[in-house]
Structures are given as structure tokens and as C-alpha cells.
Amino acid sequence: MMGSRFARGVVPLLAPLVVLVALIVIVLRVDTNAVEAITGPGRLDTLVVEEAVVPKTVAASLVSSGRRSATLRTAPGRAGTVTAVSIEAGSTIRTGSPLFEVNGRTVLAAATERPFYRPISPGASGPDVEMLGQLLARLGLVDPSVVGRQAGWELVQGIDRLWRQLGDDPGQNYQFEPSWLVWIPVDEMVVADSVLEVGMPVPEIIGGAVGAHAAARVVLSDGSELPRDDWSRYRVQRFNGAAVPGVEPLLEDVVDDPGRYLESTMGAGGSGPDAGGPRATGGAQADGAQEASYSLVLQLPETVEGAVVPLTALLGAPGRQCVVVVDEGRRETRAVDALGEANGRPVVEGISPGDRVLATPDPVAFRCPG
């Protein structure tokens, strides 16, 4: 009897408690569902903006005609015996580099618009005379102001200085001979192979060489072309998806010889041409070089401030990235620009202090705008 009275007294007391527990469960379930409805899959973090100062970087693409090959030939009718050899495979040759000697006289490499085809004597005229004057000026043998299409007194004096520089023959020589030179198509080339040996008759073909082609352009991620005059302001952080080993080279050096940096980054995780940048309009060029495109990350000397975010917060691909911002029940994918990194974390612009972002957004549920 007592037990039944006790039970009847306790039940009314427990009823409100049961109702309260049920309400808490409902509220928690509704709150959890509401958060998931807002954020989708992923964890909600409050972004604490660290205004890190980092070097400004920009994405770009180098469109280059690559390396140009050339057959190293002596001038027609060149006769004699090779008495010394100055080059071997791997040697770098430029305008004015000694290649070999014939009967004790040096033969130089020369990058000119086209090969010389005839002797040039006092009074001669024509575009090849002007080309010879430009070459002599580059070699420091005449003043550039005397260069013209006519072989005047100043030019023939330069011819004589070149003659004396190539050997120790007595007397003067005012007639230029094409056999004094071996033509190369660009100003710097690397000897690929050489057949020269001391004691052999001078061969028509002395070997082959490859060099960087000057026809190249740098295209920024917005499609605009970077002016050539600005190349010296930029350094290259990444080449074809891999960090450039050692000191970051100047852009103009990479443009001069992209093959050199392609080889160095292949071992660092880089890839072949057309990796991540705008594709070049491919195909062989008229001079035999092959056009290719290489992705670049360039660094400017100026610095910028941005927000540091978790790497996992970024969606999209370089050049088109975003984060998911949650604000008062709304979610928004907001585009950001990567400025660099601080302590291994991305530094971006496009979000404000106090923004709440998803630290690990689901790439299936959220897509970057555009």
C-alpha cells in the first residue's frame, strides 16, 4: 500500500523532468541539423587573421620556341690543317669565342643575321658590309658610330685589327674573309658534339650546337603579356610545378634558357612542358625549334599583407581558388587570391578579419565561383 502511494507521488515529479530532457534532445538535434544545413560537411572554424607580410607572387606561363640547333660549318673553300682545338662537347660558345686554329690562325664564332658569303674589301658596299661593321663594333674593334653600308677607312682599320687578333702574321690586311669565322644563329650556344682533332685537314662540318632561342613571351594568368623590359624585375619561384633549386633565378635568365631549368626541376617533381599554364600553339617553327609552354610562379620585389588560412580551407586550383565563408546562417564560396605563404600556410586576400570559414570544406558540396 505504501509502495503504491510512493509511486503515485514520484510519477508526477518525474514527468516534468522527462519532458525537459526530451526538449533538450530536440533542441540539440535541431541545432546540430541547423549547423550542418548551413555548413554542409566540414568543420566550422573562426578565422583569426594574421596579416603576414610576404613577397607578392603572380602566376604566369612562359611560351618559348625552346632550344635551337645548328650545324657548325666552316666557310666554303677553307683549307689547311687544324693546329689547335679550343672546344669540346659541353663548351659554351658566344660571338668572339675561339673555336680552333688553322695553320696557327684562330677561327672565331660569330652570331650575325646570316653567314658572310664574300670577301669584303675597302670601298665595298651592301647590307653585309653593315653586318660586318656591327660585328666589329661588338668585338670592340671599331666605334659603333662608323658602322654603315660602305666599307670606309674606319671599317677597314677594324678589319686589320681583327686580322692581327687572329694571328701574329706580319703586315697589314684590309680584306675580310668569311673563313675567319664560323657562323652561329644565336649569341650563345652549347657545343653538342665536335669532330675536330689536331693534325686533321679542316672539315666542312666541325660539329653541332644547341642554344636558347630569343623568341619567347611571358603571359600572365589574366592573359596579358609581360613586357620584356619588366623581365629583370621578377624572380622565378616555381618552374613547371616544382621549386627551382638554389637561389631563385631572374626571369630573364629562365627565358634565355628554359631547357636548363626544366632539367633541374624534373628531379624535384616538375613535369614536362604545358604543365599547368596556358597551352602554347604547338608545332614546329620555321627555324626548326619546337614551341612549348611552361608554368611559372613569379615573385615581385614588393611585399603585400594578407590573411593566413589553413591549407585545407582552400578549394579549386591555383589561379582560381576560394574559401567557404559562413555568416548568420548563410554560406558563401568567396574567391581569394594566393599571395604567398607564411610558415607553410597560404596567405590570401579576399576575406576580412572575423570571417568564419570552413577548415575542411567538401569539394563536392562547394565549388569556386566562375
Side-chain angles (χ1 to χ4, degrees):
M1 196 67 163
M2 284 288 294
S4 62
R5 283 203 205 108
F6 177 77
R8 284 197 300 272
V10 172
V11 169
L13 293 174
L14 290 176
L17 182 59
V18 171
V19 171
L20 179 60
V21 171
L23 288 174
I24 290 174
V25 171
I26 292 171
V27 169
L28 287 175
R29 184 180 299 277
V30 170
D31 183 63
T32 302
N33 290 341
V35 171
E36 288 184 355
I38 294 171
T39 65
R43 180 165 54 87
L44 184 64
D45 275 3
T46 300
L47 173 68
V48 179
V49 174
E50 302 173 28
E51 292 188 331
V53 177
V54 297
K56 184 176 181 181
T57 58
V58 294
S61 181
L62 167 61
V63 182
S64 169
S65 294
R67 300 174 74 86
R68 182 174 178 178
S69 61
T71 299
L72 303 179
R73 299 175 180 271
T74 56
R78 184 57 151 129
T81 301
V82 176
T83 52
V85 178
S86 303
I87 58 170
E88 59 183 8
S91 298
T92 299
I93 55 176
R94 303 175 179 86
T95 296
S97 295
L99 302 183
F100 59 100
E101 292 181 9
V102 179
N103 299 337
R105 293 193 59 79
T106 301
V107 177
L108 301 181
T112 53
E113 184 179 349
R114 57 189 178 277
F116 291 98
Y117 66 94
R118 62 166 179 163
I120 295 177
S121 304
S125 62
D128 58 336
V129 174
E130 185 173 10
M131 189 170 65
L132 175 60
Q134 293 168 346
L135 173 62
L136 295 175
R138 290 177 62 192
L139 295 175
L141 300 176
V142 299
D143 190 284
S145 63
V146 306
V147 175
R149 296 171 68 92
Q150 186 81 25
W153 175 241
E154 294 87 353
L155 181 69
V156 297
Q157 282 187 311
I159 293 173
D160 183 59
R161 294 187 190 106
L162 177 59
W163 164 260
R164 294 173 183 276
Q165 180 177 304
L166 300 180
D168 56 3
D169 300 74
Q172 297 172 317
N173 188 340
Y174 295 135
Q175 177 172 289
F176 165 78
E177 297 287 345
S179 59
W180 298 356
L181 309 172
V182 168
W183 183 75
I184 56 176
V186 293
D187 195 46
E188 182 173 305
M189 305 195 81
V190 176
V191 176
D193 60 83
S194 171
V195 301
L196 293 172
E197 293 182 5
V198 173
M200 70 184 301
V202 177
E204 178 185 349
I205 297 176
I206 66 172
V210 292
H213 196 287
R217 53 196 176 93
V218 177
V219 181
L220 300 177
S221 56
D222 62 3
S224 62
E225 188 167 327
L226 185 67
R228 186 178 293 267
D229 291 344
D230 289 343
W231 289 358
S232 60
R233 297 179 56 234
Y234 291 77
R235 289 191 174 274
V236 179
Q237 269 191 347
R238 301 183 70 83
F239 183 87
N240 253 37
V244 178
V247 178
E248 294 167 349
L250 291 173
L251 173 60
E252 58 187 354
D253 293 336
V254 175
V255 173
D256 283 344
D257 191 359
R260 171 186 171 189
Y261 295 93
L262 179 64
E263 293 164 4
S264 67
T265 56
M266 287 294 281
S271 54
D274 294 326
R279 284 188 173 269
T281 53
Q285 305 303 295
D287 58 15
Q290 187 71 28
E291 189 173 81
S293 177
Y294 308 91
S295 65
L296 302 173
V297 175
L298 306 178
Q299 176 183 310
L300 279 168
E302 61 189 276
T303 56
V304 291
E305 294 184 354
V308 181
V309 299
L311 179 60
T312 55
L314 289 177
L315 294 172
R320 183 170 167 261
Q321 292 178 297
C322 64
V323 296
V324 179
V325 179
V326 180
D327 181 29
E328 296 182 355
R330 300 187 306 273
R331 66 186 182 192
E332 173 193 359
T333 52
R334 189 174 301 170
V336 294
D337 292 322
L339 305 176
E341 62 179 45
N343 298 322
R345 293 182 296 165
V347 179
V348 302
E349 64 178 356
I351 51 178
S352 305
D355 280 346
R356 290 163 64 84
V357 301
L358 289 182
T360 54
D362 185 346
V364 176
F366 302 105
R367 299 292 179 88
C368 292

